[in-house]
Each structure stands twice: as C-alpha cells, then as structure tokens.
Amino acid sequence: MNIKKSYIYLSIALSFLGISACSESDKHTGFLDDNQELLVGLTEVDGYDHTYNYDFNILKEREKVEFYIPTSLSEGLNRIPSEMRSKINLISSTDLPFIVANNQSNIVTSWNNYNKLVFQIQISYLENDLGYDTNFKDFFIVSITQCPDNPFEKMDEEALKTLNDDLELRKYEFLNLKEDLTLYYLPKSNDNSWPRMFDYYNYNESEKRMYKESTGSYQYYAWYNGLIFKIGCNMDMDAVDPEPLVRKIILGN
C-alpha cells in the first residue's frame, strides 16, 4: 500500500514538474508567428495610417497594422527579426551635415496574405530638438520594410513600362544600384519645388498616438535583398552627398 502511494505521489510530482516546464517554455504560446515574441514588452499605441511611397504603391495594402511607441535605435534593432537586422547597415550621426538632436526608431507591423508578420522600422535622424518631428529642420529618415520577393520582377512588362513612364514624368532619376537593380532618386524640380512629399511616422507624446506626416524631401527608393528601402532627407546637399550614405545603408559599402 505504501509503495503504491509512493508511486502515486511520484507520478503527481512528475506531472506537476512537466506542467510547470511546459508553462515556462510555452509562456508565449498562441502566437501566429514566432516573431511576435520580439514585440513583447513594447508599448502599442493608436496610429493613423502607414507609410509607403505613393508613386510606387508597393506595400500600400496592409492588414492589421499595429504601431509601437518610438524606442532608441539599439532597442528598435533588437525588436526586428535577425534576418532583417543583418541586412541593415547604419550610418553615424557624424556622417550628416547637421547636429542630430533626435535619433530614434519606430516599429510598425502588419500581416501578409500568408499570415506572416511583416516588420517595418523607421530610423530617424532629426535636427529638431523640440520633439519627434522634422519641424522644418534638417533630417535624414530611413524606412525599411520586409518584402521577400522583388516587386518589380512580379510586374509584367507592360505594367513596369507604365510605372517607369510615370516616374520619368515625375522627374525620377534611375540610378544603378547593383547588377539589374535600380535605385530611384527624386530631387527637387527645376522650379525648386517638391514633386512628391515624403511621408514618415511622427509620434505625438501628449496624445499617445502615431501620426503619418508628410514633408518636402529628396527621396531614394529601392528593393534589395528582401527589403524595401524608402529614404528621405533635407539637408545641405553641397556639404554631404546623400547618395553614398544611401548606398551604404542598402549595400553595406
């Protein structure tokens, strides 16, 4: 009888330990995507629309967009998948011709048609020292979004020609990025106006809300190695040529 009781107690104890172990290892169960765990601990906030380039309309349609409070650059990089992080090559604040007062990152996520979580990170170098906003001061803003397949290769020949014709009308310059990949560049028009505004995330601290703002900007756009790069800047272009910085961010050299 005592032996039987011992077996019972032992079985109960082992069952309890098994349940505890499972609970500990599965404390984040219920995720549809393993990368959701990267977001645990970040503060989600309300947001108004997501950013994308209106001339390309790539990544225009997104499902279940979620916004998170801005974080430090190092924190933001730790909150995106490693395969994405390894493809991002940062510049230094000292590479820019203005004093960077704000250098933060924004994480925004959405879901694709395959029920996979899509990460977007915005890295902002801002001269404005009064808030997280360009505020008509110099800036260099990098937006990077996961996009595994080259969207330009998915376009048929006619659609790609139509797009390129439209971009030429908008005065885009077609720069060679690497091999058969294009780096699209949009400068100011001849009349010194901006042919397309650049949209970026601006967090309103008092409202605890993420807004999408637009401002005049020199713009670069490219797909490379599974990522869409949308980069805007407004600074002394004679002091620092942004193109080498853009190439460094995308290509690493």
Side-chain angles (χ1 to χ4, degrees):
M1 185 69 176
N2 290 336
I3 295 176
K4 288 184 178 180
K5 285 185 177 179
S6 297
Y7 278 126
I8 292 172
Y9 293 148
L10 180 60
S11 298
I12 293 172
L14 290 174
S15 298
F16 177 78
L17 288 173
I19 292 170
S20 298
C22 290
S23 298
E24 181 63 26
S25 63
D26 298 339
K27 59 184 177 181
H28 297 312
T29 54
F31 290 154
L32 297 177
D33 186 297
D34 290 341
N35 285 325
Q36 283 181 274
E37 189 168 356
L38 292 167
L39 304 170
V40 173
L42 285 182
T43 303
E44 188 177 346
V45 295
D46 290 332
Y48 173 72
D49 209 354
H50 59 270
T51 62
Y52 64 95
N53 186 298
Y54 301 106
D55 291 323
F56 296 86
N57 283 329
I58 297 169
L59 301 173
K60 177 181 179 180
E61 302 299 330
R62 299 193 211 174
E63 296 292 331
K64 301 176 184 176
V65 180
E66 294 179 329
F67 305 83
Y68 296 88
I69 194 169
T71 67
S72 67
L73 182 52
S74 59
E75 172 77 1
L77 291 173
N78 285 326
R79 296 293 189 161
I80 60 177
S82 58
E83 66 270 17
M84 180 183 185
R85 183 170 62 250
S86 64
K87 299 173 184 176
I88 299 174
N89 309 282
L90 296 181
I91 61 171
S92 169
S93 296
T94 57
D95 292 330
L96 301 169
F98 60 90
I99 297 175
V100 177
N102 278 311
N103 183 201
Q104 290 183 290
S105 64
N106 298 76
I107 303 293
V108 175
T109 62
S110 56
W111 293 85
N112 64 18
N113 293 332
Y114 304 101
N115 219 24
K116 296 293 291 181
L117 192 61
V118 177
F119 281 74
Q120 176 186 18
I121 183 170
Q122 175 182 291
I123 300 170
S124 303
Y125 303 82
L126 308 176
E127 182 187 27
N128 177 28
D129 60 354
L130 298 178
Y132 195 54
D133 184 10
T134 59
N135 196 30
F136 302 105
K137 294 181 179 291
D138 287 354
F139 63 86
F140 192 97
I141 298 176
V142 183
S143 174
I144 307 168
T145 309
Q146 290 179 304
C147 185
D149 300 322
N150 185 343
F152 300 103
E153 286 186 348
K154 297 174 72 173
M155 297 181 187
D156 60 42
E157 188 174 336
E158 183 177 351
L160 186 58
K161 183 181 184 306
T162 299
L163 171 63
N164 287 334
D165 288 345
D166 289 343
L167 295 176
E168 285 184 1
L169 289 175
R170 281 243 176 227
K171 306 301 181 184
Y172 273 84
E173 296 180 15
F174 297 65
L175 309 175
N176 180 260
L177 179 64
K178 189 174 182 180
E179 299 170 352
D180 58 346
L181 298 177
T182 302
L183 174 62
Y184 299 91
Y185 170 55
L186 184 63
K188 280 186 176 181
S189 298
N190 293 332
D191 60 0
N192 205 37
S193 64
W194 300 108
R196 167 66 73 195
M197 301 296 278
F198 179 82
D199 61 335
Y200 67 97
Y201 294 117
N202 173 24
Y203 179 63
N204 187 302
E205 177 69 34
S206 62
E207 297 180 20
K208 304 297 182 186
R209 184 177 177 84
M210 193 75 69
Y211 286 94
K212 182 174 76 171
E213 304 286 357
S214 297
T215 187
S217 173
Y218 297 92
Q219 299 184 45
Y220 293 86
Y221 191 88
W223 177 92
Y224 181 69
N225 202 14
L227 300 174
I228 287 286
F229 293 84
K230 183 173 78 77
I231 301 173
C233 62
N234 192 3
M235 58 190 192
D236 187 348
M237 306 290 276
D238 293 326
V240 173
D241 182 1
E243 186 178 331
L245 300 181
V246 170
R247 291 183 179 276
K248 177 182 178 181
I249 291 168
I250 299 173
L251 300 175
N253 52 42

